[in-house]
Amino acid sequence: QKEVEQDPGPLSVPEGAIVSLNCTYSNSAFQYFMWYRQYSRKGPELLMYTYSSGNKEDGRFTAQVDKSSKYISLFIRDSQPSDSATYLCAMKVRQAGTALIFGKGTTLSVSS
Amino acid sequence: GAGVSQSPSNKVTEKGKDVELRCDPISGHTALYWYRQRLGQGLEFLIYFQGNSAPDKSGLPSDRFSAERTGESVSTLTIQRTQQEDSAVYLCASSLGIEAVQPQHFGDGTRLSIL
């Protein structure tokens, strides 16, 4: 079992839809959770960063962490064609100097 | 520059050749990380540097891979005697420090193709 599991999709939705992206993990030592967006031929761009269970909202994006279930989600409201990209979840343990552990990424396509 | 800069953006080379990839971190960022992204795969950690401390090389896949960093500036990743399985996008990230709370910011990567 991989440390971080993420459905690669692809996921196709119409403009304006609510999108739900998810990751599960097996290592209970993970304490910091991130979502990155990656456009084609570009590097990952940090979208959301949280380190506690519950919800964190930033504009149209909401990150949700459930440590008891080892499950994280990213919700995108009122999705736009410009949201079409690959979304990567990433997480790390509390120890300093450790690398991020990434999911494989979910490819999202939003059609106008 | 405002962000992490990597060069070259693309590199095509023949099997068996050596390649050198470069990363310029965000100014003031003391921590620097290298990752590899194979097609259809998540990012794999390769190595990280923090200031003048010994680098963490635990992710390097073989002794053909090595990396250097001068102080808190430029880093180079070298792959010797390249193999076809080395084809991937090599991404560099930097952060203010190695504390777990510090987020990592990525460059656009070097797309390496081994013929």
Side-chain angles (χ1 to χ4, degrees):
Chain A
Q1 180 190 14
K2 284 192 174 293
E3 279 193 288
V4 180
E5 299 277 2
Q6 184 176 10
D7 186 340
L11 182 60
S12 295
V13 301
E15 183 175 355
I18 297 174
V19 175
S20 172
L21 305 168
N22 312 294
C23 288
T24 58
Y25 61 95
S26 57
N27 187 351
S28 58
F30 287 138
Q31 296 293 320
Y32 298 90
F33 305 92
M34 283 136 276
W35 286 95
Y36 283 86
R37 177 175 63 195
Q38 187 174 25
Y39 291 115
S40 180
R41 294 189 171 267
K42 293 290 188 180
E45 169 195 9
L46 182 64
L47 271 182
M48 300 288 283
Y49 182 22
T50 183
Y51 44 86
S52 59
S53 284
N55 294 350
K56 180 178 181 179
E57 190 173 317
D58 184 0
R60 295 185 296 111
F61 299 91
T62 300
Q64 186 176 79
V65 173
D66 182 347
K67 290 185 180 179
S68 62
S69 302
K70 299 190 182 67
Y71 187 89
I72 67 170
S73 299
L74 178 71
F75 297 97
I76 307 174
R77 291 184 299 280
D78 187 25
S79 56
Q80 302 295 310
S82 59
D83 295 328
S84 299
T86 296
Y87 290 81
L88 302 160
C89 65
M91 44 200 80
K92 62 191 302 189
V93 300
R94 186 182 300 276
Q95 181 184 350
T98 53
L100 292 171
I101 306 299
F102 282 85
K104 289 186 177 182
T106 300
T107 299
L108 172 67
S109 176
V110 181
S111 56
S112 56
Chain B
V4 177
S5 177
Q6 292 187 246
S7 61
S9 53
N10 291 280
K11 177 72 175 179
V12 181
T13 192
E14 294 179 347
K15 177 182 170 181
K17 300 286 189 183
D18 297 352
V19 295
E20 188 173 279
L21 313 179
R22 177 187 168 105
C23 173
D24 281 277
I26 294 171
S27 178
H29 280 197
T30 61
L32 185 149
Y33 302 77
W34 284 97
Y35 292 85
R36 177 171 70 177
Q37 186 175 32
R38 290 171 160 167
L39 190 65
Q41 302 295 315
L43 278 71
E44 304 170 72
F45 165 72
L46 297 177
I47 185 171
Y48 95 85
F49 299 87
Q50 166 60 21
N52 294 317
S53 301
D56 177 353
K57 304 179 181 181
S58 60
L60 294 179
S62 79
D63 59 7
R64 296 187 295 105
F65 288 71
S66 62
E68 292 184 349
R69 187 182 187 195
T70 305
E72 295 182 353
S73 59
V74 171
S75 175
T76 55
L77 176 69
T78 301
I79 309 173
Q80 296 177 309
R81 305 181 303 282
T82 53
Q83 303 295 311
Q84 286 186 332
E85 64 261 27
D86 299 334
S87 295
V89 178
Y90 290 82
L91 290 158
C92 176
S94 69
S95 64
L96 274 172
I98 61 169
E99 296 80 12
V101 71
Q102 295 294 344
Q104 296 177 24
H105 300 274
F106 285 82
D108 286 338
T110 294
R111 187 173 299 269
L112 178 63
S113 298
I114 310 299
L115 302 179

